[in-house]
Amino acid sequence: MKERLLNILTEACPEVDFATETALIDDGLLESLDIVMIVTEVMQEFGVELTVDDLLPENFNSADALLALIESRV
Amino acid sequence: MNFFSLSFVGAVCGALLLYYLVPRKYRWYVLLGVSLAFYLTGGLSAGLFLLFTAGTNYVGGLLLSRLNDRKGRLTPEQKKTEEKRIKALKKWVLVPVLLLNFGLLYMVKYWNFTAESVGKLIGTGSLPRTDWIMPVGLSFYMFQSVGYLVDCYRGKYPAEKNFLKFSLFVSFFPQMVQGPISRFDKLQPQLIPGNVWNSDNVKYGIQLALWGYLKRMLIADRAAMVVNQVFDTPEKYGGFFYAFAVLFYCIQLYCDFSGGIDITRGVARLFGIDLAENFKRPFFATSLADYWRRWHITLGSWMRDYVFYPLSFSKPFANLGRWARKHFKGKVGKVIPTAAATFVVYLIIGIWHGANFRYIAYGFYNGIILTSSVLLANSYSLWRKKLRIGEGSTWFRIFTVLRTTAIVFVGRYITRAPRLLVGLDMLRKTLFSPCLYQLRDGTIGNFGLSLTDYLVVAVGFGIVLLLEWKLEQGVDLQKELERKHPVLQWLCLFLPLVLLCIFGIFRGSGVRVEFIYQQF
């Protein structure tokens, strides 16, 4: 599952190292457009439902945080 | 009461004295009293608008909070039946309050424009108009209050139970004129507990406010003289002076708006309150998207959280996404919904500025460029790699900054001109009819500015850019100043005052007292 998520993230923002970054939102590496694209792809790929309420920095600051969110919805 | 009157300065000094004299737990009452007094100088009707906004959002917030509490107390068995019902009830609270607030804003700000436009379209002359005058700051405090309401809907925090405390959040006086648009969970914890005297707050607040006054009264008000002359009588000038006036308008607009925000944040800081930044060195932006993340930041982030995200995740846009994936291959199909939401957001930002076709056109202008950049991002990246242009290269950075400045520059033709067609004509003449002979015939001396005035604008704005360049490099100017000799620190505090006395425009001809963004 993590591999699939990393593919989605890398396709959205190829220049970011999602394997190691832990402050994607705090450091401004992910912008709102990126987040929307990522969330749309994640919903499509994993069949989960995410809403505006999930768009919190702590859910998107790292790939692991986002993975935890997805796993909680599966 | 305007920021440039001695009575405002006197009122702030008086409020400050009272604030730090009363016991801490009553200090928020002082802020509320001063805020209401400040606002009521605009008339009783201004107070009624404020009361309406505060009242509707207060009640809405309380109802939503109660429904959230009810949802939180549901047992797993109850959740199956009750969750959907509570969600529906929450919408029944949210939607009417939103309609009341935006309905009022529409009637005050946009109805007359609609009445005229529809009347012309159907050939009956204007529909019935209203004579309501838009109260100062309505767009700003209404957005701020609606943001709170939506946060309550989302269960981000419990609603404020005390109406007077909530009214302070809505009416806090420094931000009434032109923002910034604050968030309840960031501002309220600073307003209510009562802040302790801290001489650093007073020092920093005075420095920031004086810097704001300098930007407005030395630079913006001088630049305004050129801008007003050219845009009020464009028939007297050729393309070169249109470009000249737009350049001065860019300087005026930035120094006026950011200067006003500096005054706002400086005054708030005197009371120990740190308002959100609204500008982050926009002239160093490397793309139009970056520019909008640096200009009027609080409006942009409000639009992101309360328009862009909800729109992007709404059913119509989800359907658009499915349709786009089916008909377009690769990344294009995936970005179309995002691009469409972006377009809508910037159209709304354009319209937010006012009821005029030129603001709608401005929204289109930004929307089209930003949407294109989203759709073409991959191709752009590929071409950069093929041409071996490193993203970190200095020359590329300079190119992107100049490119962004040019895009913003063109957009200003649209917003400053009295009418859209006049703005487009001025742009056309800038390119094809510069009338360069006007450089030799003394036109430049006809704007009411002496050589000294032009130098003040040039040197002043140069200093603004230099300091911002330092900030862009990560230098903490405040800390740097504190490391300097105390004499230099005091000089930095009093020099602005001296400069204001010598060079400040206190009431130039044709220069208005109000801030440009106050009209929005």
Side-chain angles (χ1 to χ4, degrees):
Chain A
M1 199 183 250
K2 187 165 180 179
E3 204 56 48
R4 287 153 68 196
L5 176 61
L6 284 173
N7 285 342
I8 290 170
L9 293 171
T10 308
E11 201 198 335
C13 300
E15 59 282 354
V16 177
D17 181 3
F18 288 99
T20 56
E21 286 288 350
T22 54
L24 294 165
I25 303 295
D26 297 341
D27 287 352
L29 295 169
L30 281 188
E31 300 291 347
S32 49
L33 293 174
D34 304 319
I35 290 169
V36 170
M37 278 179 51
I38 289 166
V39 167
T40 310
E41 285 302 300
V42 158
M43 291 201 289
Q44 181 95 350
E45 175 75 15
F46 299 104
V48 295
E49 186 158 328
L50 298 178
T51 65
V52 173
D53 299 338
D54 297 314
L55 300 183
L56 303 167
E58 51 263 36
N59 288 336
F60 286 84
N61 256 335
S62 67
D64 287 337
L66 185 52
L67 186 66
L69 175 66
I70 296 165
E71 284 171 346
S72 72
R73 299 298 166 86
V74 165
Chain B
M1 196 187 293
N2 71 75
F3 279 19
F4 303 96
S5 61
L6 281 173
S7 50
F8 174 76
V9 175
V12 169
C13 291
L16 209 55
L17 191 65
L18 194 59
Y19 184 79
Y20 287 111
L21 279 177
V22 303
R24 272 189 77 181
K25 62 177 182 175
Y26 299 120
R27 286 179 183 173
W28 68 271
Y29 284 103
V30 174
L31 292 180
L32 179 63
V34 172
S35 300
L36 293 178
F38 178 82
Y39 209 57
L40 286 171
T41 56
L44 188 61
S45 58
L48 291 174
F49 281 104
L50 185 68
L51 184 63
F52 179 85
T53 303
T56 51
N57 287 285
Y58 168 75
V59 170
L62 275 182
L63 290 172
L64 289 167
S65 212
R66 278 193 198 159
L67 287 168
N68 288 333
D69 289 343
R70 201 193 294 182
K71 184 181 164 191
R73 289 194 299 267
L74 293 176
T75 61
E77 294 78 33
Q78 286 173 322
K79 271 188 185 173
K80 289 172 200 168
T81 48
E82 284 298 297
E83 247 184 10
K84 266 192 183 162
R85 201 175 77 87
I86 290 174
K87 193 173 175 183
L89 281 172
K90 280 170 65 174
K91 281 194 178 145
W92 273 105
V93 173
L94 177 72
V95 172
V97 177
L98 287 178
L99 286 175
L100 280 170
N101 278 268
F102 287 118
L104 178 68
L105 186 66
Y106 175 79
M107 286 305 297
V108 172
K109 201 168 171 179
Y110 301 102
W111 169 252
N112 287 344
F113 170 74
T114 311
E116 275 177 31
S117 304
V118 169
K120 277 183 193 162
L121 206 64
I122 60 178
T124 58
S126 177
L127 300 178
R129 295 162 52 94
T130 71
D131 57 1
W132 294 0
I133 297 169
M134 194 165 103
V136 166
L138 178 66
S139 299
F140 295 98
Y141 68 71
M142 188 171 278
F143 271 48
Q144 183 163 303
S145 304
V146 163
Y148 160 85
L149 183 78
V150 177
D151 285 347
C152 287
Y153 174 81
R154 290 174 181 167
K156 197 171 169 186
Y157 39 72
E160 172 59 71
K161 292 194 170 92
N162 184 311
F163 178 65
L164 292 179
K165 287 179 181 175
F166 181 70
S167 299
L168 176 55
F169 164 69
V170 176
S171 67
F172 180 51
F173 77 95
Q175 62 182 17
M176 289 300 282
V177 171
Q178 52 178 1
I181 301 170
S182 299
R183 302 296 177 99
F184 183 80
D185 54 342
K186 298 283 186 295
L187 182 57
Q188 199 74 338
Q190 300 186 74
L191 288 176
I192 301 305
N195 297 310
V196 175
W197 168 269
N198 180 327
S199 56
D200 280 348
N201 280 337
V202 175
K203 184 173 71 172
Y204 185 70
I206 293 175
Q207 280 174 346
L208 192 55
L210 281 174
W211 178 238
Y213 278 113
L214 272 180
K215 281 201 277 190
R216 165 63 199 256
M217 293 169 75
L218 253 70
I219 306 172
D221 285 351
R222 276 185 173 76
M225 290 185 181
V226 173
V227 176
N228 293 345
Q229 279 266 10
V230 173
F231 281 93
D232 287 349
T233 50
E235 63 279 3
K236 290 185 185 170
Y237 305 97
F240 174 81
F241 276 104
Y242 293 157
F244 188 68
V246 170
L247 172 67
F248 268 62
Y249 181 58
C250 291
I251 294 171
Q252 178 204 0
L253 188 62
Y254 180 60
C255 290
D256 181 290
F257 195 10
S258 71
I261 293 293
D262 288 341
I263 297 169
T264 296
R265 294 185 71 232
V267 167
R269 190 64 182 258
L270 296 174
F271 296 91
I273 291 154
D274 195 10
L275 292 178
E277 280 190 343
N278 225 11
F279 292 92
K280 209 171 183 183
R281 310 173 290 280
F283 289 105
F284 292 89
T286 53
S287 67
L288 192 59
D290 189 27
Y291 175 83
W292 282 105
R293 286 191 289 269
R294 294 166 178 259
W295 177 281
H296 208 170
I297 295 169
T298 57
L299 178 65
S301 63
W302 193 98
M303 287 288 175
R304 179 196 64 210
D305 292 343
Y306 303 112
V307 180
F308 179 69
Y309 283 148
L311 211 55
S312 299
F313 295 124
S314 65
K315 280 204 178 109
F317 276 73
N319 292 338
L320 175 65
R322 276 189 279 278
W323 175 89
R325 272 191 189 77
K326 206 171 154 187
H327 292 84
F328 296 90
K329 286 183 186 165
K331 200 167 179 186
V332 173
K334 292 175 186 175
V335 304
I336 280 178
T338 315
T342 304
F343 184 80
V344 170
V345 165
Y346 282 92
L347 188 60
I348 293 174
I349 287 177
I351 294 169
W352 176 88
H353 284 82
N356 196 298
F357 283 115
R358 66 179 193 273
Y359 295 122
I360 297 170
Y362 186 60
F364 265 101
Y365 175 73
N366 280 279
I368 288 168
I369 294 174
L370 286 158
T371 307
S372 312
S373 68
V374 170
L375 292 169
L376 298 171
N378 261 9
S379 315
Y380 187 60
S381 196
L382 269 163
W383 272 105
R384 231 189 30 247
K385 282 183 184 142
K386 275 189 184 171
L387 295 169
R388 293 194 189 161
I389 299 170
E391 223 178 52
S393 103
T394 305
W395 287 111
F396 183 69
R397 174 103 204 245
I398 292 172
F399 163 71
T400 55
V401 167
L402 290 174
R403 177 194 61 189
T404 307
T405 306
I407 292 171
V408 170
F409 182 85
V410 167
R412 295 298 175 210
Y413 276 85
I414 303 172
T415 54
R416 183 54 183 87
R419 286 183 310 283
L420 174 61
L421 291 177
V422 172
L424 294 174
D425 190 50
M426 290 172 81
L427 182 58
R428 182 184 64 80
K429 284 177 178 165
T430 297
L431 296 169
F432 301 114
S433 183
C435 300
L436 292 173
Y437 66 87
Q438 288 186 322
L439 279 166
R440 297 186 299 273
D441 67 1
T443 301
I444 200 155
N446 295 343
F447 298 122
L449 292 182
S450 64
L451 179 61
T452 307
D453 290 318
Y454 281 114
L455 281 172
V456 168
V457 172
V459 170
F461 193 61
I463 291 172
V464 168
L465 288 180
L466 179 66
L467 291 175
E468 294 201 347
W469 179 60
K470 284 278 182 196
L471 288 167
E472 188 72 9
Q473 292 181 318
V475 173
D476 187 330
L477 290 175
Q478 186 64 25
K479 283 204 171 91
E480 284 292 318
L481 187 61
E482 277 165 18
R483 281 195 210 114
K484 303 291 181 201
H485 195 278
V487 168
L488 186 62
Q489 288 190 47
W490 280 105
L491 200 65
C492 286
L493 198 61
F494 285 107
L495 186 61
L497 262 175
V498 172
L499 288 174
L500 269 173
C501 292
I502 300 172
F503 294 112
I505 302 278
F506 286 90
R507 195 61 76 101
S509 65
V511 175
R512 62 213 226 160
V513 177
E514 300 82 16
F515 291 101
I516 293 174
Y517 264 73
Q518 194 169 326
Q519 65 185 309
F520 302 135

